[in-house]
Amino acid sequence: MFGRKKSVTGDRDAATPGEPADSAPSTTGPHDRSSVGDVARYYTDLGYGHLDLGSLVIGVPKGRDLNVALDPNGQPEFHVVTTVSRVIPRAFAAPKSAGQWRTMVAAMREQLEGQGAEVTVEDGPWGRELVAAMPGAVFRAIGVDGHRWTAEVRIMATPELAEQAAEEGREVFKHLLVNRGDGPMPVREVLPLTIPDEIQQALVKAQSQLAAQQQAQAYQQQMAAGQQGQTAAQARPQGQTAAQARPQGQPAPAAGTPAPAPSPTPSPTPTREQPRQPESRPRRDGSAMDRLRSTDDL
């Protein structure tokens, strides 16, 4: 049924004794797409749905939904969700030699600790798994180096369901298919996705709605700041010079991943193989910590 399996590991870096390993066993996914002869049959035999995004094929186990959201840069990302977990798969360009995942874990750890999270690195089936405990949430990142690519899933859950969420994330991770392509790419650059037309149309509509919401909120903040300045001017004694007024408060939210914003936007129409998900709320930008916290779907 399938072509010859390719190992997802390159030359393994020598790990310090007692540290988690960096690479996966050769028999464990994620797999290079070229190693699977019939992609549709691969997922059908698993009992999964799937979404083919060109550089990344995401399998959706039975009983789970696949949603699309916008990252802080306004780019689409796909989430496999249940009532327990939210799993975000991604794939990056990498050098031929292994070791990129180790570097990514170190960078994430530094970023999260700088935001006050309690961070540990655990030994999982693929080696290093980064785990960050935050108020009301646990973030886990699982990754592995493949042939000129690095695959990753980020998992969000509540503390009491973190272990179950980790298993759900691993199930999605091991059945990812990655197509790096032959062209040159900067290392750690996210592999470009080919978005189905119906999803792309929904994303364009959602981006327009978010832009309108941002403009409306910015206008409201400016008006509120102007009213505060007018009240202060009326309260000053005659002859007192006013300082230059500046708007107060945070800027209008951009498309990002922390807590929900007030106005919901519709989820894009799913493809035939993409489970439907109820309407949810637009996302807004935030700090580096917010970037790694739970996301809101479009």
Side-chain angles (χ1 to χ4, degrees), residues 70-231:
L70 298 176
D71 69 12
N73 298 318
Q75 299 302 309
E77 60 184 17
F78 292 82
H79 302 182
V80 181
V81 297
T82 68
T83 56
V84 172
S85 67
R86 179 180 299 274
V87 180
I88 308 173
R90 298 195 298 173
F92 306 83
K96 292 181 180 179
S97 59
Q100 177 163 274
W101 177 242
R102 176 196 288 263
T103 303
M104 292 172 65
V105 167
M108 280 189 286
R109 181 170 194 167
E110 181 179 359
Q111 181 186 39
L112 286 162
E113 288 179 338
Q115 294 292 332
E118 182 180 342
V119 184
T120 58
V121 176
E122 299 180 359
D123 193 3
W126 289 271
R128 295 166 184 266
E129 296 185 3
L130 181 141
V131 182
M134 297 171 280
V138 174
F139 165 82
R140 181 182 296 265
I142 302 172
V144 72
D145 294 324
H147 179 61
R148 298 179 66 208
W149 50 259
T150 298
E152 174 199 64
V153 291
R154 297 186 172 195
I155 307 163
M156 290 300 304
T158 57
E160 63 273 15
L161 297 173
E163 291 303 318
Q164 183 179 345
E167 291 306 313
E168 291 185 357
R170 293 184 184 111
E171 187 177 1
V172 172
F173 185 63
K174 70 182 178 181
H175 294 298
L176 293 176
L177 302 181
V178 182
N179 180 19
R180 161 64 172 77
D182 298 325
M185 288 184 67
V187 297
R188 294 184 66 177
E189 181 171 308
V190 178
L191 298 184
L193 303 178
T194 302
I195 310 297
D197 288 343
E198 60 269 33
I199 297 179
Q200 187 64 54
Q201 292 170 7
L203 284 169
V204 170
K205 182 178 179 180
Q207 288 169 328
S208 297
Q209 291 173 336
L210 285 172
Q213 291 168 8
Q214 292 166 14
Q215 292 175 357
Q217 185 168 346
Y219 176 75
Q220 291 172 357
Q221 290 175 342
Q222 291 171 358
M223 291 295 293
Q227 291 174 356
Q228 291 174 358
Q230 184 177 10
T231 301

Side-chain angles (χ1 to χ4, degrees), residues 208-297:
S208 297
Q209 291 173 336
L210 285 172
Q213 291 168 8
Q214 292 166 14
Q215 292 175 357
Q217 185 168 346
Y219 176 75
Q220 291 172 357
Q221 290 175 342
Q222 291 171 358
M223 291 295 293
Q227 291 174 356
Q228 291 174 358
Q230 184 177 10
T231 301
Q234 292 173 350
R236 283 195 305 271
Q238 291 184 353
Q240 183 174 348
T241 303
Q244 182 178 3
R246 294 184 180 181
Q248 301 296 314
Q250 297 181 349
T257 58
S263 303
T265 54
S267 298
T269 304
T271 61
R272 183 175 58 184
E273 297 157 323
Q274 181 182 14
R276 295 181 178 274
Q277 174 72 1
E279 285 190 353
S280 53
R281 292 160 291 189
R283 305 163 50 195
R284 63 184 183 184
D285 202 2
S287 66
M289 173 66 76
D290 291 332
R291 176 68 185 94
L292 301 177
R293 299 189 69 167
S294 60
T295 54
D296 297 290
D297 311 307

